[in-house]
Amino acid sequence: MNNVPSPADELVILDRELARLDARRSQLLARRAWLLSVLYAPGAASPRPASPVSTPAVESTPRSAQNVLLALGGVLLAVAAVAFTLVSWGSMGIGGRAAVLAVVTAGALAAPVVLLRRRLVSTAEAVAALGLLLMVLDAYAVHRVALPGADSLGYAAVASAVLAALWAAYGVGVGGLRVPLPVAVVAGQLPLPLWALASDAGALTMCWALLATAGLDVVVALLARLGAGVRVVACVCACVTGGWAVLVAAWFSVVGGGAEPAGLLLVAAGLALYGAWRAPAAAEAWAVVAGLVAVAGAGALVREAVPEAWVVPGYLLVAVAVCAVAVRGGVPRGVGRGLVWASAGVQVLAVAWALPQVAAALAGVRPGVPWAVVAVPATVAGVLVTLRSVPARCGALALAWVAVMPLPEALSLPYAAVVGARLVLTGGFLALAVRPAPLAVRLSPQVSATGARGWDALLRPGTAPSAPGGAGDRVGRDAQEVLGDAALGGALLGAVVVAFGAWGTEAAAVTVLGVLTGLFAGAAVLARGPRRTVAACAATVALTGFVGTVATAVELPAHLTGVALLAVPVGTAALGAWLRRHPVAVPVELTGAAAGALAVGFASARPAVLALVLALCGVVAAATAVRPERRPAAGYAATALFVAATWVRLAASGVSTPEAYTLPVTVPALVVGVLRRRRDPAASSWTAYGPGLAATLVPSLVAAWGDTDWPRPLLLGVAALAATLVGARLRLQAPLLLGGTVLALVALHELAPYVVQAVGALPRWLPPALAGLLLLGMGATYEQRLRDARRLRETVGRMR
C-alpha cells in the first residue's frame, strides 16, 4: 500500500510547517527586542522578566547615540575641510597648503587601520569617509595649482577614474571597511559620461557611454566577490545608467529612427539578458527588462522597413518572436518566464492600440479599418490559442471577435454584404456557445483547474489527461461551460453591433432583427443551462425590436406601435404557461413584461390608447395569475394594471367624479373579500380587501389633491378614518395601512396652506431651532424610539 502523499497534499503540509516556523520566528524576534530594551535601559541592574508589551520602549541605545555622534563629527570635519580648501586657499603659500592637505589626507587614510585593530569599527568608518572626501579636495587642489589650463570636464573624467581606482584599492587593501568600495562604484559612474560631455560627441555617444558604464556595473555585481553592499550599489547604478541610456535611445528610435538607436537598444537587451542568466534570484525581473528592450530595438529596425500603419504590428511580431524564443529556446525557467511576461505586456499594448479603432469602425465613425488594425488582435489570438488554459482560450475567443467583426469593412464590402457577414459571424459564435467542445480541445486538466496560470502554462510541459470519468473529465466539462459562456458573450455583443449597424435602412433592420430572433430562439432550444436562459431572453429582446421595426416600416403611429408591441408579452406569457416551472420560464416572462412596459411608454402619447394597453396588460397578467406558481405576483400586477387603466380612462374622458365609477367596483370587491375570508381565514387582508379599497381610495385621493372644495376631502377623510379604525380593531394590515396613509395625505393637503402661512409668520431662526431641539430630543431617547418602532413593526407584521 502506497501512503506517499500526492504533490498537492505535500504542498499543503509544507505550507503549514512554514507558517509555524514564521510564527515561532516572530515570537523569538519580539522576545529579543524586549531583552535588548531591558539590557540597555538606564539604571537597569537586574531586569525582571516581564511582558514585552508592558516594557516601555527605549528611545535610543548607546550604539545608536555613538553613531549619531560620529556622523555629526564627520560632517563637521568635512565642512571644515571644504571651507579650508575652497575659501581660505589663498591665505597660505602653495607649498604649505599642499603639505597640509597631503598630511591630513594621509593621516585620515592611515587612522582607520589602527582603529580597526582596536575594534573601533564605527570610528574607523567615519574617519575613512573623511579621508575619501579629502582625496576629492586634493584632486581639486591639483587642478587649481598644477593644471589650471586643463579642460574642466576632461580633468573631472580622469580624476573620477583615478579616484575610483584608488578607493577600490584602498577598500580591498584595508579589510573591514564598508564605505570605500561602494563609494568607488559610485565614482566609477562618472568617467565615461564626463568624457562624452567633454568630447561633445552627441546624445547617442552619451548613451553608449552610459551603457558601457552599466555593463561595468553588471560585471561588478555579478563577478566581483566584494560583499552584498557592493553588489547592491552596483545593481542600482546599473539600473540608473542603463535606464537613462535605454530611455534616450528609445526616444531617438521613435522620433528620428535609424540603426544606431536600435543597435544600442539591442546591446542593452543583451546586457540585461546576461544579467538575468547569471543572477537566478533576479532572473525574472532582468528578463522582463531584456525582453522589453529587445522588442524596442528590433521593432525600431522593423519600423524602418514597413509603412507607418504597420509599425505597431511590426513591434507585435517581434514580441511574439521573443515569446517563441522564451518557450522553445532552451533558456532557464526564470529567464523564460520574464521574457514571456515582457512579450505579454507588448501584446497588451498592441491590442489597446487597436481596440479604439475597431470600436470606431463598428460604430460607423470611420468608413473602414486598416488591415494592420485587424492583424493585431488576430495575431494575439493566435498566440493565446497555443496555450492550454481556459482563460487563454477565452481571451483568444474575445480577440477573434475583435478581429473578425471589422473584417468585412477592411475588405471594403458593400453595406448589405457587411451586414450579412456580421450576421454570419454572430451565428458562428452562437454555434460555438451551443456546442463549445471544439474550443476546449487539448486543454490540460491541471492547467484548466487552476484557471489562471496562462503564460506559466506555456513554460511548463503539459501533463497527461486523467482517466475518463475522473477529475479530468469534470474539468473538461467546466472548461467547456466557461468557453461556451464566452462565446455567448461574443454573440450577444455581435448582435448589438449588427442590430445598430442595420438601422441605415428599414428593410435591413427588419431582416437583421428577424434573423437574430430566429438565431437566438434556435440557440435557446439547443443550448443547455444558463446559456439557454440568456439566449431565450435575447430572442425575446430581438423579437421586441423586430415588432417595433415592422411597425415603423408600415408607418404606424407611436401609440399604435405600443399596441403592436403587446404581442411580445402575450407570446412570452403563453410560452411560460407551456414551460410551467422550467428555469427558462421566469426570465422569459420578465423580459416580456419589460416589452409590455415599453408598449405602455409608446402608448402614452394617446391617453385613450394608453388605457387600452394597460387593460390588455392586465388581461395578460390575470391570465398568468391562473397558474398557481405565478398567482401572487401576477394577481397583484393584474389588479394594479386594471386600476391604472380605469384611472387613465376616466382622466381621458374628462370625468371629475371618479367615485361614481369606482364605488360600484369597490362594494362588490369588498363583499367578495369578506366571503373569501370566511372560506379561508388564513387569506391575507391585502388579497381580500386591498384591491377593493384601493379602487376607490386612491382615485379619490388624486382627485382630492386637485379639488379646492371641502366635501370630497371631508368624505374621503371620513372613509379613510373608518377603514383605519376597522383595520386596527380587526387587526388587518390592508385597511389599517391604506386608510391611515390616505387619511394622513388628506390631512396634509388640508393643513398645508395654514402650515405655510404659520411658518411664514414665524421668525426665520425659529424653524431651525425647533428642528435642532427635535433632533436633540430624538437623540436623547434614541434607544427607546428604536424599541417603539420595532414593537410597532412587529405588531403590524402579525396582522393579516
Side-chain angles (χ1 to χ4, degrees):
M1 180 176 179
N2 188 7
N3 294 325
V4 177
S6 65
D9 296 335
E10 186 176 359
L11 181 61
V12 173
I13 295 172
L14 290 178
D15 289 339
R16 291 175 180 173
E17 292 298 326
L18 290 174
R20 293 194 188 99
L21 291 176
D22 290 339
R24 181 58 179 165
R25 184 175 184 273
S26 300
Q27 294 175 358
L28 294 176
L29 287 175
R31 181 66 179 176
R32 180 180 181 274
W34 174 76
L35 291 174
L36 287 175
S37 65
V38 172
L39 180 62
Y40 290 111
S46 58
R48 293 178 299 174
S51 173
V53 178
S54 62
T55 302
V58 180
E59 294 183 359
S60 63
T61 62
R63 185 176 299 276
S64 61
Q66 174 192 4
N67 293 335
V68 171
L69 293 176
L70 289 174
L72 289 176
V75 170
L76 292 176
L77 289 175
V79 171
V82 172
F84 173 79
T85 304
L86 300 180
V87 179
S88 302
W89 181 259
S91 62
M92 292 179 62
I94 297 176
R97 288 287 181 174
V100 170
L101 278 177
V103 170
V104 174
T105 302
L109 294 176
V113 179
V114 180
L115 294 172
L116 287 175
R117 291 176 182 174
R118 297 186 178 183
R119 296 183 180 179
L120 300 175
V121 180
S122 298
T123 307
E125 295 282 359
V127 176
L130 178 62
L132 300 181
L133 176 62
L134 291 175
M135 292 179 70
V136 177
L137 298 178
D138 287 336
Y140 174 76
V142 170
H143 177 257
R144 292 292 303 270
V145 175
L147 301 171
D151 179 62
S152 298
L153 290 176
Y155 178 80
V158 175
S160 59
V162 173
L163 287 175
L166 292 176
W167 290 345
Y170 180 72
V172 174
V174 182
L177 293 177
R178 295 174 295 178
V179 175
L181 289 177
V183 174
V185 173
V186 175
Q189 311 305 306
L190 300 177
L192 292 178
L194 289 176
W195 167 81
L197 287 175
S199 61
D200 196 15
L204 288 178
T205 304
M206 172 62 73
C207 290
W208 283 109
L210 291 171
L211 188 60
T213 304
L216 295 176
D217 293 331
V218 171
V219 172
V220 172
L222 297 179
L223 300 182
R225 299 179 179 179
L226 300 175
V230 178
R231 290 196 297 271
V232 170
V233 173
C235 287
V236 173
C237 292
C239 293
V240 173
T241 55
W244 274 112
V246 167
L247 289 177
V248 176
W251 170 259
F252 275 103
S253 68
V254 173
V255 175
E260 187 176 1
L264 193 148
L265 291 172
L266 291 176
V267 172
L271 183 62
L273 187 61
Y274 173 77
W277 212 290
R278 293 301 300 269
E284 191 167 345
W286 281 102
V288 169
V289 175
L292 293 176
V293 177
V295 171
L301 295 177
V302 175
R303 184 190 186 98
E304 298 293 323
V306 298
E308 183 178 359
W310 288 89
V311 170
V312 174
Y315 280 98
L316 177 60
L317 290 178
V318 175
V320 173
V322 169
C323 183
V325 170
V327 177
R328 304 295 182 185
V331 298
R333 179 70 56 82
V335 176
R337 189 175 293 113
L339 292 177
V340 167
W341 278 113
S343 175
V346 175
Q347 294 180 50
V348 169
L349 292 177
V351 172
W353 169 82
L355 283 179
Q357 303 182 64
V358 172
L362 295 179
V365 177
R366 52 185 303 172
V369 179
W371 278 101
V373 176
V374 177
V376 168
T379 303
V380 180
V383 174
L384 292 178
V385 167
T386 62
L387 303 180
R388 291 174 293 177
S389 68
V390 177
R393 293 289 176 89
C394 292
L397 194 63
L399 291 175
W401 188 96
V402 175
V404 299
M405 273 299 170
L407 192 60
E409 294 191 354
L411 294 171
S412 300
L413 297 179
Y415 173 75
V418 169
V419 174
R422 288 180 179 174
L423 272 177
V424 172
L425 294 173
T426 302
F429 275 90
L430 264 181
L432 290 176
V434 173
R435 292 290 181 266
L439 295 174
V441 174
R442 297 181 62 187
L443 275 175
S444 170
Q446 283 76 8
V447 175
S448 302
T450 58
R453 290 172 63 176
W455 294 114
D456 187 46
L458 186 63
L459 298 176
R460 295 178 182 268
T463 56
S466 301
D473 288 347
R474 183 174 61 255
V475 170
R477 288 193 296 270
D478 294 341
Q480 292 185 21
E481 294 298 323
V482 174
L483 292 170
D485 294 342
L488 181 59
L492 293 174
L493 190 57
V496 172
V497 170
V498 71
F500 277 99
W503 282 106
T505 60
E506 293 178 351
V510 171
T511 303
V512 166
L513 290 172
V515 173
L516 289 177
T517 302
L519 287 175
F520 281 104
V525 173
L526 299 176
R528 300 175 181 175
R531 291 194 296 278
R532 169 179 289 177
T533 301
V534 174
C537 294
T540 305
V541 173
L543 177 62
T544 304
F546 175 75
V547 173
T549 307
V550 170
T552 304
V554 298
E555 298 182 354
L556 284 180
H559 58 281
L560 294 182
T561 301
V563 177
L565 287 174
L566 287 178
V568 178
V570 170
T572 55
L575 180 62
W578 179 66
L579 294 174
R580 305 295 293 177
R581 298 182 182 275
H582 195 280
V584 178
V586 173
V588 169
E589 290 182 68
L590 291 177
T591 308
L598 184 63
V600 171
F602 274 98
S604 60
R606 293 283 184 88
V609 179
L610 176 60
L612 174 63
V613 170
L614 289 171
L616 293 177
C617 289
V619 171
V620 175
T624 305
V626 175
R627 298 158 51 193
E629 69 274 9
R630 300 286 187 269
R631 183 165 298 160
Y636 292 142
T639 302
L641 289 170
F642 282 133
V643 172
T646 303
W647 298 343
V648 173
R649 181 68 262 181
L650 293 176
S653 302
V655 175
S656 60
T657 308
E659 293 81 3
Y661 299 90
T662 58
L663 283 175
V665 177
T666 296
V667 173
L670 292 177
V671 172
V672 172
V674 172
L675 296 176
R676 170 77 182 275
R677 289 270 296 174
R678 286 182 178 178
R679 290 197 308 269
D680 184 12
S684 171
S685 63
W686 290 101
T687 303
Y689 308 121
L693 291 173
T696 294
L697 291 179
V698 177
S700 298
L701 178 63
V702 174
W705 270 69
D707 194 349
T708 57
D709 295 330
W710 61 271
R712 174 179 280 119
L714 177 61
L715 295 175
L716 179 60
V718 171
L721 177 60
T724 304
L725 294 177
V726 170
R729 176 69 179 82
L730 301 179
R731 302 180 62 83
L732 299 175
Q733 278 189 5
L736 176 64
L737 295 182
L738 282 175
T741 303
V742 172
L743 181 61
L745 292 176
V746 170
L748 177 63
H749 175 265
E750 295 302 312
L751 295 177
Y754 304 101
V755 172
V756 172
Q757 183 178 1
V759 171
L762 292 175
R764 295 191 175 183
W765 57 266
L766 187 58
L770 294 176
L773 291 174
L774 176 63
L775 293 176
L776 287 177
M778 291 179 63
T781 59
Y782 180 72
E783 294 185 2
Q784 182 63 36
R785 297 290 81 76
L786 284 180
R787 285 194 295 269
D788 294 342
R790 191 179 300 112
R791 191 177 299 110
L792 176 61
R793 184 187 63 185
E794 293 173 355
T795 301
V796 175
R798 287 193 296 268
M799 294 181 178
R800 292 289 182 180

